[in-house]
Amino acid sequence: MSFIKLVNKRFSVRKYKNTPVEREKILRCLEAARLAPSACNSQPWHFIVVDKPKETALLSEKTTLPLTKMNQFSKGAPVIVALVAEKPNLSAQLGGMIKKKPYYLMDIGIAAEHFCLQAAEEGLGTCMLGWFNEKAVKEYLGVPVKRSIPLLITLGYSEKEIPPSKVRAGLEDIYSFGKYS
Ligand SMILES: Cc1cc2nc3c(=O)[nH]c(=O)nc-3n(C[C@H](O)[C@H](O)[C@H](O)COP(=O)(O)O)c2cc1C
């Protein structure tokens, strides 16, 4: 598959089949994430894979917003992956402080997309979740207080096979050559 085809194939899946996900496929997604670039090659991440039905059910309770439908779909996801932000190496910490840029968050975002694109390649669907009860998720997963979980990723076989058309700004609206315009 060409890269652009793969990019078009990935979409946020919010309805999953009940089918369990093979661990070797999960491992290939993790391998793709492992190979992601990061500031000063800091690799400030740890992935917690929750793929046992009882455990995903408990975890997904912490990803939904009470009284709304927000992220309720995560209850049907056979796998949830938590991306824990590990302490960056000294150069990345210093660089981030001097330049006032949260490099570690960029790193986590890139690794997350590598994971999701490999999942698409494997015929799997994903959805990144940025909106969840982080404190409750950390407690449930035994993540130390000083660490954060910027993102979760739901993973599984999508009910929908054909990707919906992308809702995006037009290409001509997002770039300029030479100077800002
Ligand atoms: C950092 C980040 C956080 C997101 N958080 C959520 C979320 O909490 N719930 C959700 O349903 N989708 C979430 N999404 C998915 C976006 O809504 C989705 O990527 C966007 O609408 C584009 O649609 P597509 O992924 O199908 O191309 C998140 C995506 C990103 C990149």
Short mmCIF file of all heavy atoms in Angstrom, two decimals, residues 114-162:
data_model
loop_
_atom_site.label_atom_id
_atom_site.label_comp_id
_atom_site.label_asym_id
_atom_site.label_seq_id
_atom_site.Cartn_x
_atom_site.Cartn_y
_atom_site.Cartn_z
N HIS A 114 2.39 6.78 14.59
CA HIS A 114 3.05 5.58 14.04
C HIS A 114 2.24 4.32 14.42
O HIS A 114 2.02 3.45 13.59
CB HIS A 114 4.47 5.44 14.62
CG HIS A 114 5.51 6.18 13.84
ND1 HIS A 114 6.81 5.74 13.73
CD2 HIS A 114 5.47 7.35 13.16
CE1 HIS A 114 7.51 6.60 13.00
NE2 HIS A 114 6.72 7.58 12.65
N PHE A 115 1.84 4.27 15.67
CA PHE A 115 1.07 3.13 16.16
C PHE A 115 -0.21 2.98 15.34
O PHE A 115 -0.54 1.89 14.86
CB PHE A 115 0.73 3.36 17.65
CG PHE A 115 0.01 2.21 18.30
CD1 PHE A 115 0.70 1.31 19.12
CD2 PHE A 115 -1.35 2.02 18.13
CE1 PHE A 115 0.04 0.25 19.73
CE2 PHE A 115 -2.02 0.96 18.73
CZ PHE A 115 -1.31 0.07 19.54
N CYS A 116 -0.92 4.09 15.16
CA CYS A 116 -2.23 4.04 14.49
C CYS A 116 -2.08 3.69 13.00
O CYS A 116 -2.91 2.97 12.44
CB CYS A 116 -2.95 5.38 14.64
SG CYS A 116 -3.43 5.71 16.34
N LEU A 117 -1.02 4.18 12.37
CA LEU A 117 -0.83 3.86 10.95
C LEU A 117 -0.48 2.39 10.77
O LEU A 117 -0.96 1.73 9.85
CB LEU A 117 0.25 4.76 10.34
CG LEU A 117 -0.19 6.21 10.12
CD1 LEU A 117 1.00 7.08 9.70
CD2 LEU A 117 -1.30 6.32 9.07
N GLN A 118 0.35 1.84 11.67
CA GLN A 118 0.66 0.41 11.58
C GLN A 118 -0.62 -0.40 11.81
O GLN A 118 -0.86 -1.41 11.14
CB GLN A 118 1.74 0.02 12.59
CG GLN A 118 2.14 -1.45 12.52
CD GLN A 118 2.74 -1.87 11.17
OE1 GLN A 118 3.41 -1.07 10.52
NE2 GLN A 118 2.47 -3.10 10.75
N ALA A 119 -1.45 0.07 12.75
CA ALA A 119 -2.72 -0.63 13.01
C ALA A 119 -3.56 -0.65 11.73
O ALA A 119 -4.15 -1.68 11.37
CB ALA A 119 -3.47 0.06 14.15
N ALA A 120 -3.62 0.49 11.03
CA ALA A 120 -4.39 0.55 9.78
C ALA A 120 -3.81 -0.44 8.77
O ALA A 120 -4.56 -1.15 8.08
CB ALA A 120 -4.36 1.98 9.22
N GLU A 121 -2.51 -0.52 8.71
CA GLU A 121 -1.83 -1.47 7.82
C GLU A 121 -2.22 -2.92 8.17
O GLU A 121 -2.35 -3.78 7.31
CB GLU A 121 -0.31 -1.26 7.95
CG GLU A 121 0.59 -2.33 7.43
CD GLU A 121 0.74 -2.31 5.91
OE1 GLU A 121 0.51 -1.24 5.33
OE2 GLU A 121 1.06 -3.37 5.35
N GLU A 122 -2.44 -3.17 9.46
CA GLU A 122 -2.80 -4.52 9.93
C GLU A 122 -4.30 -4.81 9.78
O GLU A 122 -4.78 -5.85 10.21
CB GLU A 122 -2.46 -4.67 11.43
CG GLU A 122 -1.01 -4.43 11.80
CD GLU A 122 -0.10 -5.60 11.45
OE1 GLU A 122 -0.61 -6.69 11.17
OE2 GLU A 122 1.13 -5.40 11.47
N GLY A 123 -5.04 -3.83 9.25
CA GLY A 123 -6.49 -4.02 9.11
C GLY A 123 -7.24 -3.71 10.40
O GLY A 123 -8.38 -4.14 10.58
N LEU A 124 -6.59 -2.97 11.30
CA LEU A 124 -7.20 -2.65 12.59
C LEU A 124 -7.60 -1.18 12.63
O LEU A 124 -7.02 -0.34 11.95
CB LEU A 124 -6.20 -2.92 13.71
CG LEU A 124 -5.92 -4.40 13.99
CD1 LEU A 124 -4.61 -4.57 14.75
CD2 LEU A 124 -7.08 -5.02 14.76
N GLY A 125 -8.56 -0.87 13.49
CA GLY A 125 -8.99 0.51 13.67
C GLY A 125 -8.50 1.04 15.01
O GLY A 125 -8.25 0.28 15.96
N THR A 126 -8.35 2.35 15.06
CA THR A 126 -7.88 3.00 16.29
C THR A 126 -8.65 4.31 16.49
O THR A 126 -9.22 4.85 15.55
CB THR A 126 -6.38 3.39 16.19
OG1 THR A 126 -6.19 4.13 14.98
CG2 THR A 126 -5.47 2.19 16.22
N CYS A 127 -8.62 4.80 17.72
CA CYS A 127 -9.03 6.18 17.96
C CYS A 127 -8.18 6.71 19.11
O CYS A 127 -8.06 6.07 20.16
CB CYS A 127 -10.52 6.28 18.32
SG CYS A 127 -11.09 7.99 18.45
N MET A 128 -7.57 7.86 18.89
CA MET A 128 -6.82 8.49 19.98
C MET A 128 -7.82 9.17 20.90
O MET A 128 -8.77 9.78 20.44
CB MET A 128 -5.85 9.54 19.43
CG MET A 128 -4.75 8.95 18.62
SD MET A 128 -3.55 10.24 18.21
CE MET A 128 -2.91 9.61 16.66
N LEU A 129 -7.57 9.08 22.19
CA LEU A 129 -8.43 9.74 23.18
C LEU A 129 -7.58 10.69 24.00
O LEU A 129 -6.63 10.29 24.67
CB LEU A 129 -9.06 8.74 24.15
CG LEU A 129 -9.94 7.63 23.59
CD1 LEU A 129 -10.54 6.84 24.74
CD2 LEU A 129 -11.03 8.19 22.72
N GLY A 130 -7.95 11.97 23.95
CA GLY A 130 -7.26 12.94 24.77
C GLY A 130 -8.11 13.38 25.95
O GLY A 130 -7.64 14.06 26.86
N TRP A 131 -9.39 12.99 25.90
CA TRP A 131 -10.34 13.46 26.90
C TRP A 131 -10.75 12.28 27.78
O TRP A 131 -11.53 11.44 27.35
CB TRP A 131 -11.56 14.05 26.19
CG TRP A 131 -12.45 14.83 27.10
CD1 TRP A 131 -13.06 14.37 28.24
CD2 TRP A 131 -12.83 16.19 26.97
NE1 TRP A 131 -13.78 15.36 28.82
CE2 TRP A 131 -13.66 16.50 28.06
CE3 TRP A 131 -12.53 17.19 26.03
CZ2 TRP A 131 -14.22 17.76 28.25
CZ3 TRP A 131 -13.10 18.43 26.22
CH2 TRP A 131 -13.92 18.71 27.32
N PHE A 132 -10.18 12.23 28.96
CA PHE A 132 -10.52 11.13 29.89
C PHE A 132 -10.10 11.55 31.29
O PHE A 132 -9.42 12.57 31.47
CB PHE A 132 -9.82 9.82 29.46
CG PHE A 132 -8.33 9.95 29.29
CD1 PHE A 132 -7.46 9.72 30.36
CD2 PHE A 132 -7.78 10.32 28.06
CE1 PHE A 132 -6.08 9.85 30.21
CE2 PHE A 132 -6.40 10.45 27.91
CZ PHE A 132 -5.55 10.23 28.98
N ASN A 133 -10.52 10.77 32.26
CA ASN A 133 -10.20 11.07 33.65
C ASN A 133 -8.78 10.54 33.93
O ASN A 133 -8.59 9.38 34.31
CB ASN A 133 -11.24 10.40 34.56
CG ASN A 133 -11.02 10.76 36.01
OD1 ASN A 133 -9.93 11.17 36.41
ND2 ASN A 133 -12.06 10.61 36.80
N GLU A 134 -7.80 11.41 33.72
CA GLU A 134 -6.41 10.95 33.77
C GLU A 134 -6.04 10.42 35.16
O GLU A 134 -5.34 9.41 35.29
CB GLU A 134 -5.46 12.10 33.37
CG GLU A 134 -4.04 11.60 33.23
CD GLU A 134 -3.03 12.69 32.88
OE1 GLU A 134 -3.44 13.78 32.43
OE2 GLU A 134 -1.84 12.43 33.08
N LYS A 135 -6.53 11.09 36.18
CA LYS A 135 -6.19 10.67 37.55
C LYS A 135 -6.69 9.23 37.79
O LYS A 135 -5.95 8.38 38.28
CB LYS A 135 -6.84 11.65 38.54
CG LYS A 135 -6.41 11.48 39.95
CD LYS A 135 -6.89 12.68 40.80
CE LYS A 135 -6.56 12.49 42.26
NZ LYS A 135 -7.46 11.55 42.94
N ALA A 136 -7.94 9.00 37.39
CA ALA A 136 -8.52 7.67 37.61
C ALA A 136 -7.81 6.61 36.76
O ALA A 136 -7.57 5.49 37.22
CB ALA A 136 -10.02 7.71 37.28
N VAL A 137 -7.47 6.98 35.52
CA VAL A 137 -6.77 6.03 34.64
C VAL A 137 -5.40 5.69 35.23
O VAL A 137 -4.99 4.52 35.28
CB VAL A 137 -6.64 6.61 33.20
CG1 VAL A 137 -5.70 5.77 32.35
CG2 VAL A 137 -8.00 6.71 32.53
N LYS A 138 -4.70 6.71 35.71
CA LYS A 138 -3.37 6.48 36.30
C LYS A 138 -3.47 5.56 37.52
O LYS A 138 -2.67 4.63 37.68
CB LYS A 138 -2.74 7.81 36.70
CG LYS A 138 -2.03 8.50 35.55
CD LYS A 138 -1.58 9.89 35.87
CE LYS A 138 -0.59 9.94 37.00
NZ LYS A 138 -0.15 11.31 37.29
N GLU A 139 -4.44 5.85 38.35
CA GLU A 139 -4.61 5.02 39.56
C GLU A 139 -4.88 3.57 39.16
O GLU A 139 -4.26 2.64 39.68
CB GLU A 139 -5.79 5.54 40.39
CG GLU A 139 -5.35 6.59 41.41
CD GLU A 139 -6.54 7.32 42.02
OE1 GLU A 139 -7.67 6.78 42.00
OE2 GLU A 139 -6.32 8.45 42.48
N TYR A 140 -5.79 3.39 38.20
CA TYR A 140 -6.16 2.04 37.79
C TYR A 140 -4.96 1.27 37.23
O TYR A 140 -4.78 0.09 37.50
CB TYR A 140 -7.29 2.08 36.76
CG TYR A 140 -7.63 0.71 36.26
CD1 TYR A 140 -8.32 -0.19 37.07
CD2 TYR A 140 -7.20 0.28 35.00
CE1 TYR A 140 -8.58 -1.49 36.62
CE2 TYR A 140 -7.45 -1.00 34.55
CZ TYR A 140 -8.14 -1.88 35.37
OH TYR A 140 -8.39 -3.15 34.95
N LEU A 141 -4.12 1.99 36.45
CA LEU A 141 -2.98 1.32 35.78
C LEU A 141 -1.72 1.29 36.65
O LEU A 141 -0.70 0.75 36.23
CB LEU A 141 -2.68 2.02 34.45
CG LEU A 141 -3.80 1.94 33.39
CD1 LEU A 141 -3.45 2.82 32.19
CD2 LEU A 141 -4.02 0.49 32.95
N GLY A 142 -1.80 1.88 37.82
CA GLY A 142 -0.63 1.87 38.72
C GLY A 142 0.49 2.77 38.23
O GLY A 142 1.68 2.49 38.48
N VAL A 143 0.13 3.84 37.53
CA VAL A 143 1.14 4.78 37.01
C VAL A 143 1.51 5.76 38.12
O VAL A 143 0.62 6.33 38.76
CB VAL A 143 0.59 5.53 35.76
CG1 VAL A 143 1.54 6.62 35.30
CG2 VAL A 143 0.32 4.53 34.64
N PRO A 144 2.82 5.97 38.37
CA PRO A 144 3.22 6.89 39.44
C PRO A 144 2.63 8.29 39.25
O PRO A 144 2.45 8.74 38.11
CB PRO A 144 4.74 6.94 39.33
CG PRO A 144 5.13 5.75 38.54
CD PRO A 144 3.97 5.38 37.67
N VAL A 145 2.38 8.96 40.37
CA VAL A 145 1.74 10.30 40.35
C VAL A 145 2.54 11.27 39.47
O VAL A 145 1.97 12.08 38.75
CB VAL A 145 1.65 10.84 41.80
CG1 VAL A 145 1.04 12.25 41.82
CG2 VAL A 145 0.82 9.89 42.65
N LYS A 146 3.89 11.17 39.52
CA LYS A 146 4.71 12.14 38.78
C LYS A 146 4.72 11.92 37.26
O LYS A 146 5.25 12.74 36.51
CB LYS A 146 6.14 12.15 39.33
CG LYS A 146 6.83 10.84 39.23
CD LYS A 146 8.19 10.88 39.88
CE LYS A 146 8.81 9.50 39.78
NZ LYS A 146 9.95 9.26 40.55
N ARG A 147 4.14 10.84 36.79
CA ARG A 147 4.06 10.60 35.34
C ARG A 147 2.69 11.04 34.83
O ARG A 147 1.73 11.09 35.59
CB ARG A 147 4.24 9.11 35.03
CG ARG A 147 5.58 8.57 35.43
CD ARG A 147 6.61 8.81 34.33
NE ARG A 147 7.95 8.55 34.82
CZ ARG A 147 8.77 9.50 35.32
NH1 ARG A 147 8.39 10.75 35.39
NH2 ARG A 147 9.96 9.18 35.74
N SER A 148 2.63 11.35 33.52
CA SER A 148 1.32 11.71 32.96
C SER A 148 0.95 10.75 31.83
O SER A 148 1.81 10.03 31.30
CB SER A 148 1.34 13.15 32.44
OG SER A 148 2.26 13.25 31.37
N ILE A 149 -0.33 10.76 31.51
CA ILE A 149 -0.81 9.97 30.37
C ILE A 149 -1.48 10.95 29.40
O ILE A 149 -2.66 11.26 29.54
CB ILE A 149 -1.83 8.88 30.82
CG1 ILE A 149 -1.17 7.95 31.84
CG2 ILE A 149 -2.34 8.10 29.62
CD1 ILE A 149 -2.06 6.79 32.29
N PRO A 150 -0.72 11.46 28.44
CA PRO A 150 -1.31 12.43 27.52
C PRO A 150 -2.38 11.83 26.60
O PRO A 150 -3.32 12.52 26.22
CB PRO A 150 -0.13 12.92 26.68
CG PRO A 150 1.10 12.50 27.42
CD PRO A 150 0.72 11.29 28.21
N LEU A 151 -2.25 10.56 26.28
CA LEU A 151 -3.16 9.96 25.29
C LEU A 151 -3.49 8.51 25.62
O LEU A 151 -2.64 7.80 26.16
CB LEU A 151 -2.49 9.93 23.92
CG LEU A 151 -2.63 11.11 22.95
CD1 LEU A 151 -1.85 10.79 21.68
CD2 LEU A 151 -4.07 11.43 22.62
N LEU A 152 -4.68 8.12 25.23
CA LEU A 152 -5.03 6.70 25.17
C LEU A 152 -5.34 6.39 23.70
O LEU A 152 -5.72 7.30 22.95
CB LEU A 152 -6.30 6.41 25.99
CG LEU A 152 -6.27 6.69 27.49
CD1 LEU A 152 -7.66 6.48 28.08
CD2 LEU A 152 -5.25 5.79 28.20
N ILE A 153 -5.17 5.14 23.32
CA ILE A 153 -5.58 4.73 21.97
C ILE A 153 -6.47 3.50 22.10
O ILE A 153 -6.06 2.51 22.73
CB ILE A 153 -4.36 4.37 21.08
CG1 ILE A 153 -3.40 5.56 20.95
CG2 ILE A 153 -4.83 3.94 19.68
CD1 ILE A 153 -2.11 5.23 20.17
N THR A 154 -7.68 3.58 21.54
CA THR A 154 -8.50 2.37 21.46
C THR A 154 -8.10 1.62 20.19
O THR A 154 -7.71 2.23 19.19
CB THR A 154 -10.01 2.71 21.42
OG1 THR A 154 -10.25 3.58 20.31
CG2 THR A 154 -10.48 3.37 22.69
N LEU A 155 -8.20 0.29 20.26
CA LEU A 155 -7.72 -0.54 19.14
C LEU A 155 -8.64 -1.74 18.99
O LEU A 155 -9.05 -2.34 19.99
CB LEU A 155 -6.29 -1.01 19.47
CG LEU A 155 -5.62 -1.99 18.52
CD1 LEU A 155 -5.21 -1.30 17.22
CD2 LEU A 155 -4.36 -2.59 19.17
N GLY A 156 -8.94 -2.08 17.74
CA GLY A 156 -9.76 -3.27 17.50
C GLY A 156 -10.17 -3.32 16.04
O GLY A 156 -9.80 -2.46 15.24
N TYR A 157 -10.94 -4.36 15.72
CA TYR A 157 -11.45 -4.48 14.35
C TYR A 157 -12.67 -3.59 14.21
O TYR A 157 -13.60 -3.68 15.03
CB TYR A 157 -11.78 -5.94 14.04
CG TYR A 157 -10.52 -6.76 13.87
CD1 TYR A 157 -10.01 -7.49 14.94
CD2 TYR A 157 -9.84 -6.76 12.66
CE1 TYR A 157 -8.83 -8.22 14.80
CE2 TYR A 157 -8.66 -7.49 12.52
CZ TYR A 157 -8.17 -8.22 13.59
OH TYR A 157 -7.00 -8.92 13.45
N SER A 158 -12.65 -2.76 13.19
CA SER A 158 -13.73 -1.79 12.99
C SER A 158 -14.99 -2.46 12.45
O SER A 158 -14.91 -3.35 11.61
CB SER A 158 -13.25 -0.73 11.99
OG SER A 158 -14.30 0.14 11.69
N GLU A 159 -16.14 -2.01 12.94
CA GLU A 159 -17.42 -2.45 12.36
C GLU A 159 -17.51 -1.92 10.94
O GLU A 159 -17.99 -2.60 10.05
CB GLU A 159 -18.58 -1.88 13.18
CG GLU A 159 -18.89 -2.64 14.45
CD GLU A 159 -19.65 -3.94 14.19
OE1 GLU A 159 -19.97 -4.25 13.03
OE2 GLU A 159 -19.92 -4.64 15.19
N LYS A 160 -17.06 -0.67 10.77
CA LYS A 160 -17.13 -0.03 9.45
C LYS A 160 -15.84 -0.36 8.70
O LYS A 160 -14.76 -0.18 9.25
CB LYS A 160 -17.22 1.49 9.67
CG LYS A 160 -17.85 2.25 8.53
CD LYS A 160 -17.72 3.75 8.71
CE LYS A 160 -18.74 4.31 9.69
NZ LYS A 160 -18.60 5.77 9.85
N GLU A 161 -15.98 -0.85 7.46
CA GLU A 161 -14.76 -1.21 6.74
C GLU A 161 -14.27 -0.08 5.84
O GLU A 161 -13.07 0.11 5.68
CB GLU A 161 -15.02 -2.45 5.88
CG GLU A 161 -15.59 -3.61 6.71
CD GLU A 161 -14.75 -4.84 6.67
OE1 GLU A 161 -14.24 -5.17 5.60
OE2 GLU A 161 -14.61 -5.49 7.74
N ILE A 162 -15.23 0.67 5.29
CA ILE A 162 -14.83 1.71 4.32
C ILE A 162 -14.60 3.02 5.06
O ILE A 162 -15.48 3.50 5.80
CB ILE A 162 -15.90 1.87 3.22
CG1 ILE A 162 -16.04 0.55 2.47
CG2 ILE A 162 -15.56 3.02 2.26
CD1 ILE A 162 -17.28 0.42 1.64
#
